[in-house]
Amino acid sequence: MTTTTYDDTSVTVDDEGFFTDPGQWTEPMAQQIARELDIETLTDRHWQVLKFMRTEYEAKGTGPTVRVLGKTSGVSVKELYQLFPKGPAKTAAKIAGIPKPRGCI
Amino acid sequence: MDKSIVILGSGTAGTLTANRLRRMYDERECRITVVDQNDDHVYQPGLLFVPFGLAEPHALVRPRPRQLLDGIAYRSAEIDRVDLAAEQVHFTDGTSLGYDVLVVATGASLLPEETEGLTGPGWGEKVHTFYDLPGAVALHQALERFEGGRVVIDVADLPIKCPVAPLEFAFLADWYFQRRGIRDRVELTYVTPLDGAFTKPVAAKALGGLLEEKGIELVTEFALGEVDGAGGRLVSYDEREVPFDLAVVVPVHGGAEYVERSPGLGDELGFVPVDRHTLQHPDHPYVFAIGDAAGLPASKAGSVAHFEGEVLAHNIGRFLAGKPLDASYDGHTNCFIETGFHKALLIDFNYDTEPLPGHFPGALGLPLLKESRANHLGKLAFEWLYWHSLLPGRELPGIGSAMPEHGKTHTPA
Ligand SMILES: Cc1cc2nc3c(=O)[nH]c(=O)nc-3n(C[C@H](O)[C@H](O)[C@H](O)COP(=O)(O)OP(=O)(O)OC[C@H]3O[C@@H](n4cnc5c(N)ncnc54)[C@H](O)[C@@H]3O)c2cc1C
């Protein structure tokens, strides 16, 4: 675990850069994280996904998989990959300030 | 006590649960009814061997009712939906059945139509799956005809039943083409949505190493968006392509369809959420789920159903007696991984512990995470144990529900 700084605030992240404490995340941090991941601007569609990720995390303790996102977030899997080309579930989780989604076994 | 337990599904989990409960209660104490939509019980682990001509399809099938102990009612019907408020199961033939306790054991279904193009041109010809019996038989014929080219094994998405089976298929394909003397004319590629050969780091390393040793290319983080059967291409959502002459695809899985028609029963994918230790539904205490149907962070495997069965039967007993549930499933999973050339690997893990090296179930047991002949014999012996010990709901000697710790080396992942 390490610390890093977003929006002039120090936060703790894991080795892969996922927030370990989602409570430390604020909306202004999102844009900065997105840019580090080569997403220049966060559109309303991005935000729809990010907000959905956080609600799901709060309800279930883990972020949703891409397939669940495609079924329930109102954004299709195809569009999810256009919005977050390097893998929607992980990229959106990182930008939304939640821990790495637990994959299936 | 005059109670009614209804078990939906008579596959691995439903059958072993019914038999375990039947040993706990006689017919006057408790009525046990098992429902299934067809009467053929397929030994699914055997499907891996059919494409290579190592198992006869008809030898894998036995009648469902014959696997149930006397005194268990068997009903051949298709479930249409469950009305949780009225505590009624409705069938497609218009009849219905009430229950005091409901056990959902309807497994996972294959959903090939959810992937664009998968069931389109080439399906059953150069695009196959071995995850059901007709598919495994068709693939056997396709492999026999195959004289060289690119063979791709692809996992479309997770969760799937037996997550190691596609890897085993890749290892056996290497063996099969060597035996036919055409391995140098075949390019084998293993394509997965994961970032390694397997989820758990220690196992991913061992299994990834084996792929490399056998000259099987590994393509990771490939989320299957489209199968172009005519053009012979797998296309990912991020627009990467993997060409093939023969594709073996494990389609996406969901829960049974009726779960979606039963408000409050399942999650987005049709699996039934239950407490990961007690197997009880969080909102409906009369409802339990077991096996592939359960939305748990555990593998979808027969061994899991077996270990869960012990906990479930005990907890249903406590529930009917009005006592708090006290048995706890730890996520124990145990898989033999066939690697070809009469060898296999064994992994054993649970919710909290990675597959570790060492021996199972104790220091003198089978080697873990290492290829051996003994493990291959273990895998073959499993078929007999399945019909004669696991389905009847008997304890396997020395192998209980809780994951054994002795004999394991705790090297960090
Ligand atoms: C190729 C392959 C290899 C495998 N290898 C292994 C292995 O080596 N080791 C291992 O432990 N596991 C292995 N498995 C996994 C194992 O077979 C499953 O995890 C196990 O069968 C799960 O049992 P279940 O009872 O939950 O589901 P199933 O056995 O699939 O049973 C579900 C039942 O529900 C019934 N059903 C569904 N919907 C309805 C409805 N609407 N109405 C009525 N009935 C319905 C079905 O007909 C079925 O009989 C393998 C699976 C496959 C496909």
Side-chain angles (χ1 to χ4, degrees), chain A residues 67 71, chain B residues 107-119 123 129 131-132 156-161 224 227 249-258 260 268-271:
Chain A
R67 191 155 143 235
K71 278 194 184 264
Chain B
S109 9
L110 310 179
L111 306 170
E113 36 322 296
E114 279 205 12
T115 300
E116 202 179 317
L118 179 52
T119 54
W123 178 239
T129 185
Y131 263 53
D132 58 20
D157 199 2
L158 295 164
I160 59 168
K161 302 193 234 197
L224 182 64
V227 178
V249 179
V250 180
V252 296
H253 285 41
E257 216 184 303
Y258 76 86
E260 276 175 43
E268 305 85 352
L269 300 180
F271 296 113

Side-chain angles (χ1 to χ4, degrees), chain B residues 4 24 45 150 171 173 201 226 261 267 271 278 300 310 314 340 355 390:
Chain B
S4 165
M24 284 167 56
R150 289 176 304 257
F171 297 144
E226 186 196 337
R261 292 193 295 268
D267 64 18
F271 296 113
T278 64
K300 303 212 175 293
E310 191 179 321
H314 179 88
L390 192 136

Side-chain angles (χ1 to χ4, degrees), chain B residues 8-15 35-38 40-48 64 77-80 105-108 110 130-132 161-162 164-165 168 253 256-258 261 290-293 300-305 334-336 379 382 386:
Chain B
L8 303 181
S10 188
T12 313
T15 303
V35 182
D36 209 289
Q37 61 197 355
N38 62 54
D40 288 340
H41 188 131
V42 177
Y43 174 64
Q44 297 180 46
L47 295 175
L48 171 68
R64 290 191 198 283
E78 190 186 341
I79 303 146
D80 180 45
T106 33
L110 310 179
F130 64 99
Y131 263 53
D132 58 20
K161 302 193 234 197
C162 197
V164 295
E168 297 180 273
H253 285 41
E257 216 184 303
Y258 76 86
R261 292 193 295 268
I290 179 170
D292 295 353
K300 303 212 175 293
S303 66
V304 168
N334 182 292
C335 315
F336 286 106
K379 172 116 189 169
F382 188 67
Y386 183 83

